[in-house]
Amino acid sequence: MKRAVVMGGSYAGLFAARVLSDVAEEVVVLEADDTIGADGVGRAAPQRRQLHALLAMGRAQLGRWFPGLTAELVAGGARLGEGDAVRYYVDGRLKAPVPGTRMLGVTRPYLESAVRRRVAALPNVRLTTGQATGLVLERGRVRGVATAAGEVLETEFAVDAMGRSSRLGSWLEGAGWERPPVDRMRVDLGYATGTFRRGDELGELTVVHSGPGPATGYQPTHLEPGGLVAVEGARWSVVLAGYADLRPGPDPEEFRARMRRAVEPLRTVADVCEMTADVTTYRFAESLRRGYGRLGRFPGGLVVVGDALASVNPVYGQGLTLAALEANSLAAHLRSGADTTEPAWGYFRRASAVVGAAWQLSTTADLAQPHVTGPYPPGYRLLRWAGDRITEASIVDAEVGATYLNVVNMMEHPRALTRPRLLLQAARALLSEAGRDTP
């Protein structure tokens, strides 16, 4: 194709631009927020300042599309944690270590700005400030993107990477097409991120994640849910999360007090480390996914990525990895020889498999919260019971823990947790644990 236009220049849009650079003579990335600076943060996306997780699959795709970038990030101060440097707690219990675990400690602004530099350096990619205000559709396909400056960028292919607030559905409806169906699950999550000066108080520890589990009914009855990550600039990035009335606020003393009710590494940081920035908060009302692939008709030369396609509870850290896997879906669609002037059903089919896995994992977990009222999937009670047993077994058994971690890190589909062999291993682990606890 001669030209492709990506509407939105955050993480998902940048990955899409990288994919399109292999097949288009020119790729134009429209970024509406002209306040983005060297740190990659703009006013249009305040959640970028929150702690983000780059799951194992996300790091793998970062290396695929941007070879050597992980090493560059580490050279610039990011931390790559391995083995005992990565800790997971459930109900306050430290999970059995999983050999081979590697996690990258980095802030989203630092990560996103590095990706942006790589994309901007591609000879056929142009990043420009501008806001898409509509599509030009002719004969059932995209012909152009209208901008707030009053110009029309002619294009053969357009990507909606405009985030949760995307107005693509309204644009389509206004042009005589259908809006996509939308699935929603209200979660009412609040989270807050604090930044602390990092010394040697926790040694080589890089990542800590702590959350409630089956023993407490997934409620923070004894410990605050949260996590910390060693990031660039010799800093700790600490996140605390809570639902409904338990959402954390911006007060620094309250933040420290909540950290002191968390697992030991967070308590240590609260006690000995200097806070170096204001606590920033963010509220996430609901998960949603837009079913473009379920429509009966759709314009040719148009795809949707990132939060514009699906936005799931951020407490599970899936967003950045979903963006990369959707870029993979786009690459596979383009490599398949599909006619890019026709509706991209092949892309939406591939992307829906990825989004569906993330949606299944996050919403099934969210339904354990008493204020989340559904919709419940078929067989939910059995899924919940089996999930609880797998979670319990993953605390004490490295084999179960490895599969559990692979699913959480999006390296495997959630159905991996229902394999008979894994269920048998989980049963053995729980029986052995019960035997040890019996006087």
Side-chain angles (χ1 to χ4, degrees):
M1 62 187 76
K2 290 184 178 180
R3 176 188 283 167
V5 175
V6 180
M7 301 176 288
S10 63
Y11 201 78
L14 293 170
F15 262 80
R18 169 63 188 88
V19 168
L20 288 166
S21 71
D22 287 343
V23 297
E25 293 179 17
E26 180 188 20
V27 180
V28 178
V29 181
L30 280 174
E31 174 55 70
D33 189 3
D34 60 4
T35 66
I36 286 182
D39 66 353
V41 177
R43 289 180 300 186
Q47 72 272 20
R48 289 177 184 164
R49 294 190 183 278
Q50 299 295 325
L51 175 61
H52 281 67
L54 186 62
L55 304 180
M57 177 59 85
R59 186 171 59 81
Q61 298 310 318
L62 187 70
R64 174 188 178 184
W65 292 106
F66 303 98
L69 189 55
T70 295
E72 287 181 22
L73 293 167
V74 171
R79 177 82 73 84
L80 189 61
E82 303 182 55
D84 292 341
V86 180
R87 297 184 190 174
Y88 292 90
Y89 295 81
V90 176
D91 287 326
R93 298 178 64 189
L94 179 61
K95 298 183 70 169
V98 175
T101 299
R102 304 179 80 196
M103 294 290 287
L104 181 65
V106 62
T107 63
R108 176 169 173 177
Y110 187 53
L111 171 62
E112 193 168 308
S113 62
V115 172
R116 181 177 279 108
R117 284 195 302 272
R118 283 286 191 97
V119 172
L122 295 169
N124 59 335
V125 176
R126 174 165 57 94
L127 275 61
T128 185
T129 299
Q131 183 172 358
T133 57
L135 295 176
V136 177
L137 301 171
E138 294 178 1
R139 297 181 182 178
R141 55 169 292 196
V142 171
R143 292 290 188 177
V145 174
T147 74
E151 64 176 332
V152 173
L153 290 172
E154 293 184 4
T155 186
E156 298 169 69
F157 200 84
V159 178
D160 175 9
M162 295 182 289
R164 283 178 64 94
S165 60
S166 168
R167 293 183 52 80
L168 179 60
S170 298
W171 297 349
L172 292 176
E173 187 176 49
W177 299 77
E178 291 180 84
R179 281 178 177 266
V182 180
D183 299 318
R184 302 177 185 272
M185 178 172 285
R186 185 165 184 81
V187 296
D188 196 13
L189 171 75
Y191 54 103
T193 296
T195 304
F196 297 81
R197 195 177 309 281
R198 173 165 54 87
D200 60 0
E201 55 279 335
L202 294 177
E204 295 300 309
L205 192 62
T206 301
V207 174
V208 171
H209 180 275
S210 174
T216 56
Y218 298 91
Q219 300 304 302
T221 54
H222 303 295
L223 290 168
E224 287 282 341
L228 65 80
V229 177
V231 299
E232 73 280 358
R235 296 173 294 166
W236 292 112
S237 186
V238 179
V239 66
L240 300 175
Y243 292 96
D245 295 336
L246 299 178
R247 296 189 301 271
D251 180 77
E253 292 309 311
E254 177 201 358
F255 192 86
R256 281 188 188 270
R258 293 180 73 140
M259 288 176 65
R260 293 187 176 105
R261 297 194 296 270
V263 292
E264 184 276 327
L266 273 73
R267 295 199 299 268
T268 296
V269 171
D271 288 339
V272 306
C273 296
E274 174 192 359
M275 187 177 285
T276 59
D278 293 338
V279 175
T280 59
T281 61
Y282 188 73
R283 185 173 180 180
F284 183 89
E286 63 179 5
S287 297
L288 65 84
R289 61 176 172 178
R290 296 180 170 106
Y292 286 102
R294 288 179 268 160
L295 292 173
R297 53 192 290 267
F298 193 72
L302 177 64
V303 298
V304 185
V305 300
D307 285 355
L309 183 62
S311 174
V312 296
N313 187 338
V315 80
Y316 308 110
Q318 298 168 314
L320 298 180
T321 301
L322 264 180
L325 290 175
E326 288 159 6
N328 278 5
S329 299
L330 177 57
H333 174 68
L334 295 171
R335 286 198 309 269
S336 73
D339 184 346
T340 55
T341 67
E342 295 295 319
W345 299 125
Y347 163 75
F348 286 113
R349 183 176 63 253
R350 293 176 173 88
S352 68
V354 175
V355 170
W359 184 267
Q360 177 185 338
L361 190 68
S362 65
T363 56
T364 301
D366 288 337
L367 287 168
Q369 298 297 321
H371 72 284
V372 179
T373 57
Y376 290 85
Y380 169 74
R381 290 184 182 277
L382 179 60
L383 288 172
R384 177 79 275 153
W385 181 86
D388 288 351
R389 304 294 80 77
I390 293 290
T391 300
E392 291 170 346
S394 74
I395 299 173
V396 297
D397 186 274
E399 181 180 343
V400 178
T403 302
Y404 184 95
L405 200 58
N406 278 343
V407 170
V408 169
N409 275 281
M410 301 184 74
M411 300 294 287
E412 293 191 71
H413 193 277
R415 61 175 167 262
L417 298 176
T418 64
R419 292 172 185 157
R421 184 178 180 278
L422 185 75
L423 294 172
L424 181 60
Q425 179 65 23
R428 288 172 177 164
L430 293 176
L431 287 171
S432 176
E433 179 76 2
R436 284 193 293 269
D437 292 341
T438 301

